[in-house]
Amino acid sequence: MAEISEAPDSDSSKLFGSDSKAPQRPDSEPEFDPKLMRKTKPGLKRLFLTFSVLFSFLLGFPFLWKSVEIYRSPLPFREIDSLSTQLRSDTLLFPLHFHALFVGFDSDPDRLRWSILSEITKLTSQNPKCSDNYTLSVTVDLGSRCLRGRTSSPHSSSYQCGSVTGGDFVQNDDVAVDERLASVFGGKNNEYSMAVVKGVSERAVVGKYRHAWMVVGDGSDVEMAVVKVAEVLIKVFINGGREEGLIRNEFMPVGADGKIVLSFNLLNADPHDWVYDWDFEKIDDTLLTPMIEALGPVANISVESQVLYHTPKASFSYWNQKLESYVFSTKDLPFFVNSNEWHLDTSIAAGGRSKILQFAVYVPSAKECPLLLQLPNGEISKTNGFISPDLENMFEVFIGQFRQLFGFKSLNVYTGASGDWNLLPSERGFTEWELDVLSRQHTCFNLHSCATTLGSLSRLVQSLPRMIIKDEIGKQVKLSLEAAKLALSNASSGVYESSAASSSQARSLAEDAFFHPSIMSVSYYSFEHCFAVYSPFFLPVSMHVVLAALRELRRYKQEKAKYLAWKAKANTAT
C-alpha cells in the first residue's frame, strides 16, 4: 500500500537555470535527511489490512478445532472408582444360616451350638475377596418338646417340633428321606439344615436339596457328631466338596459374555465299515434341557450337534492280547485330535468371547475295534472306552465331564476327615446346594472382574483425551454399574440366583464397553497426530500471513520513527 506523504522538494536545477543559483534555505528551517526522516505521519490502512487477514486466520482456528473435535460421551468416573473401592476395601459377604437338628439326644442346645461354632471356625478359611456371613441355630427334638439354643437368627424357630423322628430313617431309602426332609425344612435359598438322628443303621448322606442327615448309633459320642456336622456345613455346603477352598481364581467354563456353547460331535472314522448316527433331539430334551435350565442364572448355554465322517485320529493304538482289544494310552491324548480332519468349530454362535466346549464321540474303524482307553495307572477306563456305548450312558459321561469343568466331582461319595458322606445326585446334573456354590462363586468373580474392567476403561479414557467415546459405550458402562449394584444388593440379601444373573450381566456389559470397536478405531489420535495431519494444508499459508504481519509492523514502526525524528528536529529548530 502506497504511503500518503508530502512531495519531495523539486530539484533546484530544474526550477532555475544551470547558471542561476538555488535560493538559500532560511536559517530557521532544519536540515532534512530523507533516509532518516519523513515529514508526514505514516498511514494505518496497510497495517490494518494486513492484521485483518491475520485475525481472520486466528478467528477461524476455533472453528477448525471444532470441526476435528472427537465426540466423547460422559462416563461416570466417580461411580466406577466407588465400585472398585468398595470391592477392594470391603469383603463381599454372603449371608448363610445353618440349622442343626438333633433328634433323640438329651443335650444342651447352647453347648452344642458353641461346639459347632468352634469347629466351624477351625474349618473356615478367609478369602480376601468374598466370604460368608453365617449364623447358626441348634434345636434338640426330644419328641414331646424341643430345646432351642439362644440365637439372634430369624430362622431359629422355623422347625416344627416332632416333624422328624427316628422312624423316618428306618428304611434305607435315601431318596424318600431326602424328599421328606425337603418338606420339613422348606429349602430356603440361604438356609442349610443338618439332621443328626439316633438309630440302628449308621449312615451319612447329603441330599440334592439344601440339607443333609446323619444316623448314628446309641453309643456314638455327640462330640464326634458335632465335628461331622461342622465339616459337612463348611466343606460341602460352602466349599462344594472342593479341596482348593471357597472361590477359585477364575470361573473357567463361562465366557466373558456369560455364554457357553456346548458342541456335541459324533465322529465316524471310516464310513466304509459302518456309519453311526444319533437321536440328539431326544437326548437334548431329556438330559440336557433340565441341566441348562438349572444353570440359567450362572450361564447362558446353547447346544449344537453334528455328525462328521472320515475323521481319523492322528495317533496310533496297539493290540493288547490279554484284553483282546486295541488300547490307546491317555498320554497320547494331545495327539488324538486331528485338527486338519476334525472340523469341530462350525458354530456361528460361538463367536466373540463365548466359551465353546467340544464333546466328541469317536467311532473307530473296523480294523481298530474294539478300542479302549488306558488310564495313567494302567487300568482301563470304565467310561471312555469307545465300544458303542448306550446313548444315554454316553451323555451321562458328558454331563460328568461338564461337572468337572465347574469343579465338581462325578463320584457320589465325599470323603472327609471325619468319614464318608453319600451324595445324592440330581436329575438336573447339579444339586441345589451345588448351584448355590456356583452362584456365590460366579457372583464374586464377576463383580471383581467387572470392577477391574471398568477401572481399566476409566484409566484408558482419561489418559487419551482424543479417544472416541460413543453414546453406546456410555450406556453400557451405566447399565453395567446398575447391574453390579443390583448384584451386590441381592448378594447381601442372600438371593443367590438373582445376584449371579445380575453379576453376569454387569461383567458382560463391562467387557462390551471395554472392547467396543470404536475404541480401537483409527479415528482417535493425539494432538500431535492431529497437527501432523492438518499442518500441510494450513501451515504454509499461515506462516506467510504471520511473517507478512510481522514485516508490516516492523515497517510501520520504522516509518513512524522517521516522522518522530523529523518533528523533533523541527521543534528544535523553531
Side-chain angles (χ1 to χ4, degrees):
M1 180 67 63
E3 307 163 4
I4 301 176
S5 60
E6 296 180 358
D9 295 338
S10 301
D11 192 353
S12 59
S13 63
K14 294 181 180 179
L15 295 177
F16 304 96
S18 57
D19 296 335
S20 50
K21 296 181 179 179
Q24 296 295 323
R25 187 180 301 271
D27 296 338
S28 61
E29 184 177 354
E31 184 179 357
F32 178 77
D33 187 356
K35 295 182 179 181
L36 301 176
M37 304 176 187
R38 61 177 293 164
K39 296 182 179 181
T40 59
K41 187 177 181 179
L44 295 175
K45 186 176 181 180
R46 179 173 172 177
L47 182 65
F48 176 77
L49 292 177
T50 304
F51 273 86
S52 297
V53 177
L54 176 62
F55 288 147
S56 65
F57 270 79
L58 296 179
L59 292 176
F61 181 77
F63 296 97
L64 173 64
W65 186 260
K66 186 68 177 179
S67 64
V68 297
E69 183 182 15
I70 298 299
Y71 179 75
R72 290 167 65 87
S73 176
L75 296 183
F77 297 115
R78 291 185 178 179
E79 295 184 17
I80 294 175
D81 295 339
S82 176
L83 176 63
S84 301
T85 303
Q86 180 180 358
L87 291 176
R88 245 190 345 259
S89 58
D90 300 331
T91 302
L92 181 59
L93 297 178
F94 295 95
L96 303 172
H97 177 68
F98 300 143
H99 178 214
L101 172 65
F102 291 83
V103 179
F105 290 84
D106 187 8
S107 301
D108 182 13
D110 290 327
R111 187 176 65 85
L112 292 176
R113 180 175 179 273
W114 182 87
S115 300
I116 296 175
L117 287 176
S118 178
E119 294 296 329
I120 288 178
T121 304
K122 297 178 183 178
L123 299 174
T124 302
S125 59
Q126 297 296 328
N127 189 287
K129 293 183 178 180
C130 303
S131 187
D132 304 299
N133 183 19
Y134 56 84
T135 57
L136 174 65
S137 62
V138 176
T139 303
V140 177
D141 193 342
L142 299 178
S144 58
R145 59 191 180 92
C146 287
L147 302 178
R148 304 182 188 274
R150 293 189 299 270
T151 179
S152 59
S153 172
H155 304 277
S156 57
S157 60
S158 61
Y159 172 75
Q160 298 296 325
C161 187
S163 300
V164 176
T165 62
D168 297 330
F169 303 88
V170 173
Q171 297 180 357
N172 292 329
D173 189 351
D174 293 337
V175 177
V177 174
D178 192 36
E179 297 296 334
R180 168 65 179 154
L181 293 180
S183 62
V184 171
F185 294 123
K188 298 180 181 179
N189 285 341
N190 57 347
E191 181 176 358
Y192 300 89
S193 302
M194 178 67 195
V196 182
V197 183
K198 279 191 176 183
V200 178
S201 178
E202 295 190 359
R203 195 163 180 80
V205 181
V206 178
K208 61 181 179 181
Y209 299 105
R210 295 182 177 91
H211 54 258
W213 65 92
M214 180 173 56
V215 181
V216 298
D218 293 336
S220 299
D221 187 6
V222 68
E223 296 299 330
M224 181 57 66
V226 164
V227 173
K228 292 185 177 181
V229 168
E231 183 178 20
V232 75
L233 291 177
I234 298 300
K235 294 296 186 180
V236 177
F237 287 143
I238 303 303
N239 297 349
R242 300 166 177 167
E243 298 179 356
E244 65 270 18
L246 289 175
I247 304 295
R248 292 189 298 171
N249 292 329
E250 182 180 2
F251 201 71
M252 187 273 296
V254 183
D257 56 357
K259 296 181 180 179
I260 303 177
V261 179
L262 302 181
S263 179
F264 295 91
N265 306 272
L266 178 58
L267 310 174
N268 291 279
D270 192 351
H272 296 291
D273 299 331
W274 43 54
V275 175
Y276 280 84
D277 202 350
W278 55 15
D279 187 5
F280 189 83
E281 293 183 0
K282 179 181 179 181
I283 294 298
D284 187 16
D285 294 336
T286 57
L287 293 179
L288 297 180
T289 299
M291 181 187 68
I292 293 174
E293 292 178 352
L295 292 174
V298 175
N300 182 10
I301 303 177
S302 58
V303 180
E304 62 178 17
S305 69
Q306 63 177 350
V307 179
L308 299 179
Y309 306 96
H310 299 285
T311 54
K313 57 185 179 64
S315 53
F316 298 96
S317 59
Y318 65 93
W319 174 259
N320 188 299
Q321 187 64 34
K322 182 179 179 181
L323 298 174
E324 296 184 350
S325 63
Y326 288 90
V327 176
F328 184 82
S329 177
T330 54
K331 67 180 181 180
D332 296 326
L333 282 178
F335 310 100
F336 183 79
V337 178
N338 187 351
S339 59
N340 295 326
E341 301 291 341
W342 295 19
H343 303 290
L344 302 181
D345 295 332
T346 59
S347 174
I348 301 178
R353 298 182 302 279
S354 302
K355 283 288 184 71
I356 179 168
L357 304 179
Q358 302 284 357
F359 296 90
V361 178
Y362 179 79
V363 181
S365 61
K367 62 182 180 180
E368 200 178 19
C369 187
L371 181 62
L372 301 179
L373 180 64
Q374 188 178 33
L375 300 177
N377 58 6
E379 298 181 358
I380 300 300
S381 173
K382 298 180 180 179
T383 57
N384 294 336
F386 305 114
I387 313 178
S388 302
D390 180 75
L391 190 59
E392 184 174 352
N393 294 335
M394 179 180 64
F395 271 82
E396 288 178 355
V397 174
F398 283 156
I399 293 177
Q401 294 173 340
F402 190 61
R403 284 174 52 84
Q404 291 180 6
L405 292 175
F406 280 93
F408 293 106
K409 298 178 181 179
S410 298
L411 298 177
N412 293 332
V413 176
Y414 169 73
T415 302
S418 59
D420 295 339
W421 292 79
N422 294 330
L423 306 179
L424 294 185
S426 173
E427 63 278 0
R428 301 189 298 173
F430 294 85
T431 62
E432 289 189 3
W433 60 267
E434 287 176 331
L435 293 175
D436 289 345
V437 173
L438 290 179
S439 296
R440 292 194 297 269
Q441 171 191 346
H442 195 58
T443 301
C444 179
F445 176 76
N446 283 340
L447 285 177
H448 283 86
S449 177
C450 171
T452 302
T453 303
L454 292 180
S456 300
L457 177 62
S458 175
R459 292 188 294 272
L460 178 65
V461 170
Q462 295 182 70
S463 64
L464 297 175
R466 298 288 297 172
M467 175 184 288
I468 292 178
I469 306 296
K470 292 187 175 180
D471 289 333
E472 183 181 359
I473 297 177
K475 183 178 179 181
Q476 289 172 342
V477 171
K478 293 179 181 178
L479 292 178
S480 177
L481 288 172
E482 292 176 0
K485 293 178 182 178
L486 182 59
L488 286 171
S489 176
N490 291 330
S492 61
S493 301
V495 187
Y496 299 145
E497 293 184 357
S498 299
S499 63
S502 300
S503 68
S504 178
Q505 184 183 13
R507 180 192 176 195
S508 177
L509 289 169
E511 295 279 345
D512 291 340
F514 187 82
F515 292 102
H516 196 276
S518 65
I519 290 183
M520 301 306 296
S521 172
V522 295
S523 298
Y524 86 84
Y525 40 79
S526 62
F527 174 78
E528 291 79 7
H529 180 74
C530 180
F531 180 79
V533 169
Y534 289 98
S535 59
F537 299 97
F538 299 99
L539 188 59
V541 178
S542 301
M543 291 298 296
H544 283 290
V545 172
V546 172
L547 292 177
L550 293 176
R551 284 196 302 267
E552 182 61 27
L553 180 62
R554 185 178 59 181
R555 186 203 65 81
Y556 175 79
K557 289 181 178 180
Q558 290 176 352
E559 295 299 323
K560 187 176 181 179
K562 291 180 180 180
Y563 173 71
L564 294 176
W566 162 251
K567 288 198 67 174
K569 194 168 186 179
N571 292 334
T572 303
T574 58

PDB file of all heavy atoms in Angstrom, residues 54-68:
ATOM      1  N   LEU A  54      -4.590 -11.620   9.278  1.00  0.00           N
ATOM      2  CA  LEU A  54      -4.076 -12.464  10.359  1.00  0.00           C
ATOM      3  C   LEU A  54      -5.172 -12.820  11.365  1.00  0.00           C
ATOM      4  O   LEU A  54      -5.305 -13.989  11.777  1.00  0.00           O
ATOM      5  CB  LEU A  54      -2.935 -11.736  11.065  1.00  0.00           C
ATOM      6  CG  LEU A  54      -2.339 -12.447  12.287  1.00  0.00           C
ATOM      7  CD1 LEU A  54      -1.735 -13.792  11.891  1.00  0.00           C
ATOM      8  CD2 LEU A  54      -1.288 -11.563  12.955  1.00  0.00           C
ATOM      9  N   PHE A  55      -6.008 -11.831  11.731  1.00  0.00           N
ATOM     10  CA  PHE A  55      -7.074 -12.099  12.692  1.00  0.00           C
ATOM     11  C   PHE A  55      -8.119 -13.055  12.132  1.00  0.00           C
ATOM     12  O   PHE A  55      -8.714 -13.840  12.863  1.00  0.00           O
ATOM     13  CB  PHE A  55      -7.724 -10.784  13.125  1.00  0.00           C
ATOM     14  CG  PHE A  55      -6.864  -9.951  14.019  1.00  0.00           C
ATOM     15  CD1 PHE A  55      -6.923  -8.556  13.982  1.00  0.00           C
ATOM     16  CD2 PHE A  55      -5.977 -10.549  14.896  1.00  0.00           C
ATOM     17  CE1 PHE A  55      -6.122  -7.790  14.809  1.00  0.00           C
ATOM     18  CE2 PHE A  55      -5.173  -9.789  15.723  1.00  0.00           C
ATOM     19  CZ  PHE A  55      -5.244  -8.412  15.683  1.00  0.00           C
ATOM     20  N   SER A  56      -8.339 -12.979  10.817  1.00  0.00           N
ATOM     21  CA  SER A  56      -9.291 -13.919  10.208  1.00  0.00           C
ATOM     22  C   SER A  56      -8.812 -15.363  10.328  1.00  0.00           C
ATOM     23  O   SER A  56      -9.604 -16.278  10.554  1.00  0.00           O
ATOM     24  CB  SER A  56      -9.511 -13.553   8.741  1.00  0.00           C
ATOM     25  OG  SER A  56      -8.311 -13.725   7.990  1.00  0.00           O
ATOM     26  N   PHE A  57      -7.490 -15.529  10.217  1.00  0.00           N
ATOM     27  CA  PHE A  57      -6.932 -16.866  10.423  1.00  0.00           C
ATOM     28  C   PHE A  57      -7.072 -17.297  11.882  1.00  0.00           C
ATOM     29  O   PHE A  57      -7.412 -18.450  12.172  1.00  0.00           O
ATOM     30  CB  PHE A  57      -5.458 -16.895  10.000  1.00  0.00           C
ATOM     31  CG  PHE A  57      -5.256 -17.249   8.564  1.00  0.00           C
ATOM     32  CD1 PHE A  57      -5.434 -16.306   7.562  1.00  0.00           C
ATOM     33  CD2 PHE A  57      -4.896 -18.537   8.198  1.00  0.00           C
ATOM     34  CE1 PHE A  57      -5.246 -16.642   6.235  1.00  0.00           C
ATOM     35  CE2 PHE A  57      -4.707 -18.877   6.879  1.00  0.00           C
ATOM     36  CZ  PHE A  57      -4.893 -17.927   5.887  1.00  0.00           C
ATOM     37  N   LEU A  58      -6.801 -16.379  12.794  1.00  0.00           N
ATOM     38  CA  LEU A  58      -6.895 -16.728  14.212  1.00  0.00           C
ATOM     39  C   LEU A  58      -8.340 -17.009  14.627  1.00  0.00           C
ATOM     40  O   LEU A  58      -8.592 -17.916  15.422  1.00  0.00           O
ATOM     41  CB  LEU A  58      -6.316 -15.592  15.059  1.00  0.00           C
ATOM     42  CG  LEU A  58      -4.824 -15.311  14.873  1.00  0.00           C
ATOM     43  CD1 LEU A  58      -4.393 -14.143  15.752  1.00  0.00           C
ATOM     44  CD2 LEU A  58      -3.996 -16.559  15.189  1.00  0.00           C
ATOM     45  N   LEU A  59      -9.280 -16.235  14.091  1.00  0.00           N
ATOM     46  CA  LEU A  59     -10.688 -16.480  14.415  1.00  0.00           C
ATOM     47  C   LEU A  59     -11.188 -17.792  13.824  1.00  0.00           C
ATOM     48  O   LEU A  59     -12.094 -18.417  14.366  1.00  0.00           O
ATOM     49  CB  LEU A  59     -11.546 -15.314  13.907  1.00  0.00           C
ATOM     50  CG  LEU A  59     -11.358 -13.977  14.620  1.00  0.00           C
ATOM     51  CD1 LEU A  59     -12.190 -12.895  13.940  1.00  0.00           C
ATOM     52  CD2 LEU A  59     -11.751 -14.090  16.093  1.00  0.00           C
ATOM     53  N   GLY A  60     -10.604 -18.225  12.736  1.00  0.00           N
ATOM     54  CA  GLY A  60     -11.027 -19.486  12.126  1.00  0.00           C
ATOM     55  C   GLY A  60     -10.454 -20.717  12.791  1.00  0.00           C
ATOM     56  O   GLY A  60     -10.944 -21.836  12.565  1.00  0.00           O
ATOM     57  N   PHE A  61      -9.432 -20.508  13.641  1.00  0.00           N
ATOM     58  CA  PHE A  61      -8.818 -21.672  14.302  1.00  0.00           C
ATOM     59  C   PHE A  61      -9.795 -22.410  15.227  1.00  0.00           C
ATOM     60  O   PHE A  61      -9.827 -23.649  15.215  1.00  0.00           O
ATOM     61  CB  PHE A  61      -7.579 -21.224  15.076  1.00  0.00           C
ATOM     62  CG  PHE A  61      -6.864 -22.357  15.758  1.00  0.00           C
ATOM     63  CD1 PHE A  61      -6.066 -23.220  15.049  1.00  0.00           C
ATOM     64  CD2 PHE A  61      -7.009 -22.557  17.132  1.00  0.00           C
ATOM     65  CE1 PHE A  61      -5.401 -24.259  15.672  1.00  0.00           C
ATOM     66  CE2 PHE A  61      -6.367 -23.597  17.770  1.00  0.00           C
ATOM     67  CZ  PHE A  61      -5.556 -24.456  17.032  1.00  0.00           C
ATOM     68  N   PRO A  62     -10.609 -21.724  16.083  1.00  0.00           N
ATOM     69  CA  PRO A  62     -11.583 -22.465  16.909  1.00  0.00           C
ATOM     70  C   PRO A  62     -12.578 -23.263  16.087  1.00  0.00           C
ATOM     71  O   PRO A  62     -12.970 -24.368  16.476  1.00  0.00           O
ATOM     72  CB  PRO A  62     -12.268 -21.357  17.712  1.00  0.00           C
ATOM     73  CG  PRO A  62     -11.290 -20.243  17.745  1.00  0.00           C
ATOM     74  CD  PRO A  62     -10.604 -20.288  16.434  1.00  0.00           C
ATOM     75  N   PHE A  63     -12.989 -22.701  14.928  1.00  0.00           N
ATOM     76  CA  PHE A  63     -13.913 -23.444  14.076  1.00  0.00           C
ATOM     77  C   PHE A  63     -13.236 -24.684  13.492  1.00  0.00           C
ATOM     78  O   PHE A  63     -13.852 -25.748  13.354  1.00  0.00           O
ATOM     79  CB  PHE A  63     -14.432 -22.541  12.953  1.00  0.00           C
ATOM     80  CG  PHE A  63     -15.241 -21.376  13.434  1.00  0.00           C
ATOM     81  CD1 PHE A  63     -14.661 -20.136  13.589  1.00  0.00           C
ATOM     82  CD2 PHE A  63     -16.586 -21.537  13.754  1.00  0.00           C
ATOM     83  CE1 PHE A  63     -15.398 -19.061  14.047  1.00  0.00           C
ATOM     84  CE2 PHE A  63     -17.334 -20.478  14.211  1.00  0.00           C
ATOM     85  CZ  PHE A  63     -16.751 -19.231  14.362  1.00  0.00           C
ATOM     86  N   LEU A  64     -11.961 -24.542  13.140  1.00  0.00           N
ATOM     87  CA  LEU A  64     -11.215 -25.710  12.654  1.00  0.00           C
ATOM     88  C   LEU A  64     -11.084 -26.750  13.758  1.00  0.00           C
ATOM     89  O   LEU A  64     -11.260 -27.958  13.516  1.00  0.00           O
ATOM     90  CB  LEU A  64      -9.832 -25.260  12.178  1.00  0.00           C
ATOM     91  CG  LEU A  64      -8.856 -26.383  11.801  1.00  0.00           C
ATOM     92  CD1 LEU A  64      -9.385 -27.171  10.610  1.00  0.00           C
ATOM     93  CD2 LEU A  64      -7.466 -25.821  11.501  1.00  0.00           C
ATOM     94  N   TRP A  65     -10.777 -26.325  14.976  1.00  0.00           N
ATOM     95  CA  TRP A  65     -10.637 -27.257  16.101  1.00  0.00           C
ATOM     96  C   TRP A  65     -11.966 -27.949  16.406  1.00  0.00           C
ATOM     97  O   TRP A  65     -11.997 -29.124  16.733  1.00  0.00           O
ATOM     98  CB  TRP A  65     -10.131 -26.492  17.318  1.00  0.00           C
ATOM     99  CG  TRP A  65      -9.824 -27.377  18.488  1.00  0.00           C
ATOM    100  CD1 TRP A  65     -10.598 -27.604  19.567  1.00  0.00           C
ATOM    101  CD2 TRP A  65      -8.657 -28.179  18.657  1.00  0.00           C
ATOM    102  NE1 TRP A  65     -10.004 -28.480  20.427  1.00  0.00           N
ATOM    103  CE2 TRP A  65      -8.801 -28.857  19.896  1.00  0.00           C
ATOM    104  CE3 TRP A  65      -7.503 -28.376  17.895  1.00  0.00           C
ATOM    105  CZ2 TRP A  65      -7.830 -29.724  20.372  1.00  0.00           C
ATOM    106  CZ3 TRP A  65      -6.536 -29.243  18.375  1.00  0.00           C
ATOM    107  CH2 TRP A  65      -6.707 -29.902  19.608  1.00  0.00           C
ATOM    108  N   LYS A  66     -13.071 -27.187  16.261  1.00  0.00           N
ATOM    109  CA  LYS A  66     -14.384 -27.771  16.497  1.00  0.00           C
ATOM    110  C   LYS A  66     -14.733 -28.798  15.431  1.00  0.00           C
ATOM    111  O   LYS A  66     -15.366 -29.824  15.710  1.00  0.00           O
ATOM    112  CB  LYS A  66     -15.437 -26.655  16.519  1.00  0.00           C
ATOM    113  CG  LYS A  66     -16.832 -27.118  16.907  1.00  0.00           C
ATOM    114  CD  LYS A  66     -16.882 -27.541  18.355  1.00  0.00           C
ATOM    115  CE  LYS A  66     -18.303 -27.930  18.767  1.00  0.00           C
ATOM    116  NZ  LYS A  66     -18.371 -28.376  20.175  1.00  0.00           N
ATOM    117  N   SER A  67     -14.291 -28.546  14.205  1.00  0.00           N
ATOM    118  CA  SER A  67     -14.601 -29.467  13.110  1.00  0.00           C
ATOM    119  C   SER A  67     -13.885 -30.795  13.244  1.00  0.00           C
ATOM    120  O   SER A  67     -14.355 -31.810  12.740  1.00  0.00           O
ATOM    121  CB  SER A  67     -14.246 -28.820  11.766  1.00  0.00           C
ATOM    122  OG  SER A  67     -12.849 -28.597  11.676  1.00  0.00           O
ATOM    123  N   VAL A  68     -12.733 -30.820  13.931  1.00  0.00           N
ATOM    124  CA  VAL A  68     -11.984 -32.072  14.113  1.00  0.00           C
ATOM    125  C   VAL A  68     -12.139 -32.590  15.540  1.00  0.00           C
ATOM    126  O   VAL A  68     -11.372 -33.450  15.976  1.00  0.00           O
ATOM    127  CB  VAL A  68     -10.494 -31.866  13.771  1.00  0.00           C
ATOM    128  CG1 VAL A  68     -10.325 -31.488  12.324  1.00  0.00           C
ATOM    129  CG2 VAL A  68      -9.863 -30.830  14.697  1.00  0.00           C
TER     130      VAL A  68
END
